[in-house]
Each structure stands twice: as structure tokens, then as C-alpha cells.
Amino acid sequence: MQNPPMINQHRLATKCHQRGWKHYACQEFDDCLVDWRRALMIRDTYLGSRHASTKESIDLIRTVLLRMGLTDADCRRYIKVLKKSIRHEAQGDAYAAKGLGSKSNKKALREYCKALKLEESLVGNDHHMITATLHRKMASVTADSTPSSSWPSNPDTSPSFSSKFFPSLRMSASSSTSSTSSLETSDTSVLLFC
């Protein structure tokens, strides 16, 4: 007998939540942030933003951000943008699940692009741990018909205000990707990285 999707999503959110705690205990804050972001997305989508579990995930993300050196005001701003990004990603998932052809795929791609732009405004273009899921989803939606014109020609030239608003998070992102910083990133290498 197969479990209903809600139970499976709850189990997945719980696994992400527990994995986040393991990373937090080892002071691996980037990994922790990724796991708790996934848990937040699942809980926000299936339980709503007012549910206690969703609020708990937000509080945990705020705790990690404070440990990473952000101020209270920066944490509130980060979480506000993160919630918008999660809503765009969930809307993209809904369009992709319809799978009624290129029209819903284009809508899904548009929503994923909005979510990616918001995520990159938070952590910058070089933080692949957080944006990898969005890149993977965008690639799966464009697998049928790859519109090369929809990808930016040089992703490093897009403006990012993360260094102005979230400098400590930006430094953390740069240090966590130091092994890949020597590689030149292009549109295809980001997709292959996922």
C-alpha cells in the first residue's frame, strides 16, 4: 500500500530537519541552511505558513543566520526574500507537475527563474549548494525544448546586492565553494554541477 503524498512529504521534511541538526552540531552552517530551507519549503507548501512546524523551520534558519554573523534586521530581510523564493519555486513545481506541454513548462521555468533570482540576491551567484536544486529543476523543465535564448550569456555579470546586505553570508558562500572557484562557470557547467 502506497502512502499518501502528504505523509511522504512530512517524512522528507523530517529527514531534512534532522540532517540540518547534524550539520548544525558540526558547525556546517551552509549545509544546515540548505537542509532547513528544504524542510521549510515542504512544510510551507503542505502545512501552510502559520503551522507550528513551518514557524519552527523559520526560527532555525534565523538561528543559523545569526550564528553566521548576520544582524537581526538582515535575518528578517533574508527570511522575507526566502519566503518569496520558496513560493515561486512551489508555483513552478505546480506548473511542472501539470506537464501539459510547453506552455506549462514555460510558466514553470519563469517561476524557477524568479526564485533563482531571489536566491542569488541573497547568497550571490557562486553559492551552488543553495541554488543547485533550482538549476536542476530548470534543467528538467527545459529538457524537452531547450531555449538557449532564455539563459543569460554570462551569469557572473548579473548584479547581486548580497555583498552589500549580507556580507558575512557572502564570505561564507565564497569559502564553501573555494574548491570550485578556480573553475570557470558557464551555463552548462552550472547545470552539470547539479
Side-chain angles (χ1 to χ4, degrees), residues 34-78:
V34 170
D35 287 326
W36 284 342
R37 183 201 177 280
R38 283 186 190 143
L40 176 62
M41 182 184 171
I42 294 167
R43 289 175 173 176
D44 189 53
T45 302
Y46 285 93
L47 302 174
S49 60
R50 297 176 191 249
H51 196 273
S53 295
T54 306
K55 291 179 181 179
E56 178 188 21
S57 294
I58 291 170
D59 289 340
L60 292 172
I61 290 172
R62 182 177 291 120
T63 302
V64 170
L65 294 173
L66 288 171
R67 288 286 306 263
M68 292 174 85
L70 270 67
T71 64
D72 237 2
D74 288 341
C75 289
R76 282 192 300 275
R77 193 173 341 156
Y78 182 97

Side-chain angles (χ1 to χ4, degrees), residues 10 17 50 74 140 145 153 155 159:
H10 174 68
H17 182 80
R50 297 176 191 249
D74 288 341
S140 69
S145 59
S153 60

Side-chain angles (χ1 to χ4, degrees), residues 63-134:
T63 302
V64 170
L65 294 173
L66 288 171
R67 288 286 306 263
M68 292 174 85
L70 270 67
T71 64
D72 237 2
D74 288 341
C75 289
R76 282 192 300 275
R77 193 173 341 156
Y78 182 97
I79 290 173
K80 183 179 178 181
V81 174
L82 180 65
K83 286 180 185 179
K84 286 181 184 178
S85 171
I86 286 174
R87 287 193 185 102
H88 284 298
E89 186 177 352
Q91 187 64 39
D93 290 345
Y95 284 132
K98 286 182 183 178
L100 298 175
S102 64
K103 194 171 195 175
S104 62
N105 284 349
K106 286 180 183 178
K107 288 181 180 179
L109 182 62
R110 193 176 316 124
E111 292 297 324
Y112 290 146
C113 285
K114 288 177 186 177
L116 182 63
K117 190 176 282 190
L118 288 169
E119 290 288 338
E120 287 177 346
S121 73
L122 292 174
V123 296
N125 293 343
D126 59 344
H127 202 297
H128 299 295
M129 292 175 62
I130 292 177
T131 59
T133 304
L134 288 168

Side-chain angles (χ1 to χ4, degrees), residues 8 10 15 22 28 35 39 47 53 56 72 76 92 96 123 134 141 150 155 166 168 182 184 190:
N8 290 335
H10 174 68
K15 283 181 184 179
K22 288 178 184 176
E28 298 169 350
D35 287 326
L47 302 174
S53 295
E56 178 188 21
D72 237 2
R76 282 192 300 275
V123 296
L134 288 168
V141 169
S150 67
F166 307 110
S168 60
S182 62
E184 174 138 354
V190 173

Side-chain angles (χ1 to χ4, degrees), residues 4-18:
M6 178 104 169
I7 292 174
N8 290 335
Q9 294 299 324
H10 174 68
R11 288 180 180 161
L12 180 62
T14 303
K15 283 181 184 179
C16 291
H17 182 80
Q18 291 170 347

